[in-house]
Amino acid sequence: MLALVLGLMALRVGFMPDDYIWLGVWDNVPPPAPLGNTPLDVYRTATGIPEHTLRLAEVGVFPWWVEPTVRVSFFRPLGSLLYGLDHLLYNRVAAGYLLHSVLWYVGLVVLAGVLLKRVLPTALAGVSMFLFAIWGSHSAVLGWLSYRSVVMSLLFGILGLYFHVKWREEKRTNFLVGALVSFTLALLCGETMVILSPYVLAYEAFSGPGQAKDKLKGLIPFGVLMACYFVLYRALGYGAGASDMYLDAVGTPVDWFKAMLTRVPAAIAGLTLNAPPDFIFDQSLVPLFTILGAAGLTLFALLVWGVWPQLEAAERRTVGWMLTGAFVSTWLANSAFAGSRTLIVPSLGMAVGMAVVLRQAWRGRARTFRAGAVLAGAAVMALLHVVAAPYVWWQTMEAYVQTDALMARVQARYEEALDESKLPEQRLVVLNAPNGIIGIYGSVRWWSTGMPLPKAWWVLSYSLNEQKVTRTGPNSLELSLPKGGHFLDSIEERIHRAARHPVALGQEFDMKGLKIRIEEMDGNFPTRISYTFDVPLEDPSLKLVQWQNKKVVPFVPPSVGGTPSALNVR
């Protein structure tokens, strides 16, 4: 199977940044402060409990600007359990984890084919299954080991949807039981089942047998299950809040909707034109991806409109509920920041729509102007989604290889710069991180691999702008931005503190040994920040370093009143 071949390409990939959290937890590596993650609950990263959050900030697990109520906590017990099984079997051999993920992916493709064969003619179901299997963005989920829970949840969700269709059309109670069991397993794997739920609703709206009241009755078992899930989910403290990476459509609906106005177009660009929405991490590219999303949606809508008259009534109903499910799930999926990993659920319906367009384009063979236009557009889609698919898979895996190599280099740079024998008695002060990922995960990998920990690992800034360091006293310094820009305005910085929770002029943060104060603001973001330590900067209990020319080097503070130093991470 092509999907298996492409999946095996991922064997070059090592562990990604998040994976090191789970590895450290399962290895029982002593943390610098109590973590929210436990072996059977590894996806509970930030609990939302201020006391927990602030303690982790004091030792540098979270950055000093973290919003105390930030919550990034996901209910994925089966995903956690199987990650632990991998750890038991393979320890830190990434190939074993990845082979396991490939098996789940193959199972997902097979079950998607079973569902599609149920609701579509066999040939059309086969084309849809093939397109779903090779869909380029799926490599982002398969290659990042922590995302296996997405594949697992979707697999059981699709199985549940298949049983639901069988129950509604054949009226056999055993299929209802199968649907509810499958949906429950999907929910135990992860929130992806919630993203899939629009397909269930859309099926009833377009294809569910009976009158409207029969369709509503058909949704009652599923609705009761989902209601129980959401009550339990909230009661156990799961969910997201106070972060701009993960948004809560229920808790902060206005902010969620505003974010969707930029995230959804980028996702649609990925679904229709295979343009990787991950690039909108660079906020300057948001307008481009908004245009691409509009162009891709327009092109795809015109193609569907072009073939619609040739579809049979049953095919129209199926295409209708599949594309409706895809569109609505795109909005739900992007509650997590837009990226290729958010496209796997919408791609199920898109694969059906694409297959219909390709089939009708082939049948029409440009015998009319309308058919010719469809054929031309279908050729573009085939080029983007079929011909380019192997390249997208390879490119994604290569990016993961590079990320793993980068994290290994970061570890090596810290090993070169730090005296491991002295480190347990020091507080490490990293003035500038080369990027947010290194700022967040540089210390995580260090901890996960069992290296000696300092008493605290404080990163003062994630800013990529040139910064000026001014010594303001024996034990204090300031960071400012001489060439413009802001602190705390990048997506990586807003993971821990959403823009709707801005810092204030004069606000202070106490890290128990380091006090931070916001000295100047421009709008909602700081431009000058002061840092005051409990000892002079030259005290041996502090280890000051900076990133310079891709290396970690000692930082020598300027004298009080002396010429400021420049920090440039590039």
Side-chain angles (χ1 to χ4, degrees), residues 303 307 357-358 360-382:
L303 289 173
V307 303
V357 168
L358 294 177
Q360 294 305 125
W362 177 254
R363 285 180 176 178
R365 304 281 225 292
R367 286 193 288 263
T368 67
F369 175 79
R370 181 171 182 162
V374 168
L375 181 62
V380 172
M381 289 297 183

Side-chain angles (χ1 to χ4, degrees), residues 223-569:
V224 170
L225 174 64
M226 295 302 293
C228 292
Y229 167 77
F230 282 119
V231 170
L232 179 66
Y233 194 85
R234 292 298 188 184
L236 295 177
Y238 291 99
S243 170
D244 277 351
M245 176 65 79
Y246 303 98
L247 298 175
D248 184 351
V250 177
T252 55
V254 174
D255 291 296
W256 178 85
F257 183 76
K258 289 179 179 177
M260 293 308 106
L261 296 180
T262 58
R263 295 183 183 187
V264 170
I268 291 176
L271 287 168
T272 56
L273 302 179
N274 223 356
D278 312 75
F279 282 113
I280 67 167
F281 264 98
D282 182 346
Q283 295 291 284
S284 67
L285 296 178
V286 167
L288 172 61
F289 273 83
T290 300
I291 294 171
L292 290 175
L297 181 61
T298 301
L299 173 60
F300 185 71
L302 287 173
L303 289 173
V304 173
W305 172 78
V307 303
W308 194 258
Q310 284 76 49
L311 302 183
E312 297 179 0
E315 290 178 346
R316 290 183 183 182
R317 289 194 297 271
T318 299
V319 172
W321 71 263
M322 278 287 183
L323 289 181
T324 300
F327 180 74
V328 179
S329 68
T330 300
W331 286 71
L332 297 181
N334 283 282
S335 295
F337 194 81
S340 296
R341 73 194 190 286
T342 68
L343 303 183
I344 189 167
V345 177
S347 69
L348 176 65
M350 285 295 296
V352 172
M354 200 81 68
V356 167
V357 168
L358 294 177
R359 183 195 65 177
Q360 294 305 125
W362 177 254
R363 285 180 176 178
R365 304 281 225 292
R367 286 193 288 263
T368 67
F369 175 79
R370 181 171 182 162
V374 168
L375 181 62
V380 172
M381 289 297 183
L383 179 64
L384 293 173
H385 290 277
V386 179
V387 177
Y391 172 77
V392 175
W393 279 75
W394 173 81
Q395 188 63 33
T396 301
M397 298 310 165
E398 187 63 25
Y400 285 165
V401 169
Q402 295 303 320
T403 299
D404 185 47
L406 169 64
M407 298 308 297
R409 289 196 300 272
V410 169
Q411 178 95 352
R413 298 295 85 80
Y414 277 123
E415 289 179 7
E416 293 168 358
L418 304 178
D419 186 336
E420 296 173 26
S421 63
K422 296 180 179 178
L423 199 58
E425 301 303 318
Q426 295 177 319
R427 280 88 52 86
L428 179 64
V429 181
V430 183
L431 272 78
N432 58 328
N435 57 56
I437 295 298
I438 293 176
I440 295 169
Y441 291 107
S443 60
V444 168
R445 175 165 172 152
W446 183 275
W447 159 76
S448 176
T449 53
M451 302 296 286
L453 293 177
K455 292 181 177 180
W457 188 305
W458 294 318
V459 180
L460 303 190
S461 169
Y462 292 176
S463 177
L464 293 180
N465 297 300
E466 182 175 322
Q467 300 166 71
K468 182 174 70 174
V469 186
T470 304
R471 181 83 174 262
T472 56
N475 61 335
S476 61
L477 55 81
E478 288 184 349
L479 293 184
S480 58
L481 301 167
K483 295 186 177 180
H486 304 89
F487 295 106
L488 312 187
D489 66 344
S490 69
I491 290 297
E492 291 95 335
E493 291 167 301
R494 300 199 325 250
I495 290 174
H496 295 93
R497 190 181 197 95
R500 63 182 176 278
H501 294 283
V503 297
L505 182 65
Q507 185 172 353
E508 295 185 348
F509 301 82
D510 189 353
M511 297 297 108
K512 301 296 187 289
L514 167 63
K515 290 185 177 181
I516 301 98
R517 177 182 168 87
I518 307 301
E519 301 291 351
E520 287 184 4
M521 298 276 293
D522 179 16
N524 288 331
F525 299 106
T527 56
R528 183 166 62 91
I529 304 172
S530 65
Y531 304 85
T532 303
F533 298 87
D534 57 357
V535 295
L537 300 184
E538 291 80 9
D539 191 277
S541 69
L542 294 179
K543 176 67 175 179
L544 277 66
V545 299
Q546 64 174 316
W547 278 88
Q548 187 177 73
N549 298 324
K550 300 182 179 181
K551 291 186 177 181
V552 178
V553 299
F555 176 77
V556 180
S559 59
V560 178
T563 302
S565 301
L567 295 178
N568 192 333
V569 299

Side-chain angles (χ1 to χ4, degrees), residues 83-117:
Y83 205 99
L85 176 62
D86 281 343
H87 181 268
L88 180 66
L89 295 174
Y90 315 119
N91 196 5
R92 297 198 176 212
V93 180
Y97 293 72
L98 208 38
L99 280 172
H100 186 179
S101 294
V102 168
L103 293 177
W104 279 97
Y105 186 73
V106 172
L108 169 63
V109 171
V110 170
L111 284 179
V114 171
L115 171 65
L116 293 169
K117 188 175 184 299

Side-chain angles (χ1 to χ4, degrees), residues 75-254:
F75 182 64
R76 301 171 185 175
L78 285 182
S80 299
L81 179 64
L82 287 187
Y83 205 99
L85 176 62
D86 281 343
H87 181 268
L88 180 66
L89 295 174
Y90 315 119
N91 196 5
R92 297 198 176 212
V93 180
Y97 293 72
L98 208 38
L99 280 172
H100 186 179
S101 294
V102 168
L103 293 177
W104 279 97
Y105 186 73
V106 172
L108 169 63
V109 171
V110 170
L111 284 179
V114 171
L115 171 65
L116 293 169
K117 188 175 184 299
R118 172 73 191 186
V119 299
L120 291 168
T122 301
L124 188 58
V127 176
S128 301
M129 176 184 174
F130 171 75
L131 291 172
F132 181 75
I134 68 168
W135 204 275
S137 63
H138 294 186
S139 54
V141 177
L142 183 59
W144 193 303
L145 302 179
S146 300
Y147 293 155
R148 184 196 299 151
S149 61
V150 173
V151 178
M152 294 168 59
S153 182
L154 184 56
L155 180 150
F156 286 118
I158 286 177
L159 181 61
L161 182 53
Y162 169 76
F163 281 134
H164 180 87
V165 172
K166 293 270 285 184
W167 166 61
R168 291 287 287 121
E169 296 179 358
E170 298 181 18
K171 309 297 184 184
R172 292 171 57 181
T173 305
N174 59 323
F175 289 134
L176 172 59
V177 173
L180 293 177
V181 170
S182 299
F183 287 145
T184 299
L185 289 172
L187 292 169
L188 291 173
C189 291
E191 294 78 3
T192 303
M193 178 60 227
V194 178
I195 301 171
L196 183 69
S197 61
Y199 286 90
V200 182
L201 305 180
Y203 163 76
E204 289 293 348
F206 284 85
S207 293
Q211 303 299 315
K213 63 179 181 180
D214 301 308
K215 298 172 185 287
L216 290 174
K217 287 181 182 178
L219 286 171
I220 288 175
F222 178 72
V224 170
L225 174 64
M226 295 302 293
C228 292
Y229 167 77
F230 282 119
V231 170
L232 179 66
Y233 194 85
R234 292 298 188 184
L236 295 177
Y238 291 99
S243 170
D244 277 351
M245 176 65 79
Y246 303 98
L247 298 175
D248 184 351
V250 177
T252 55
V254 174

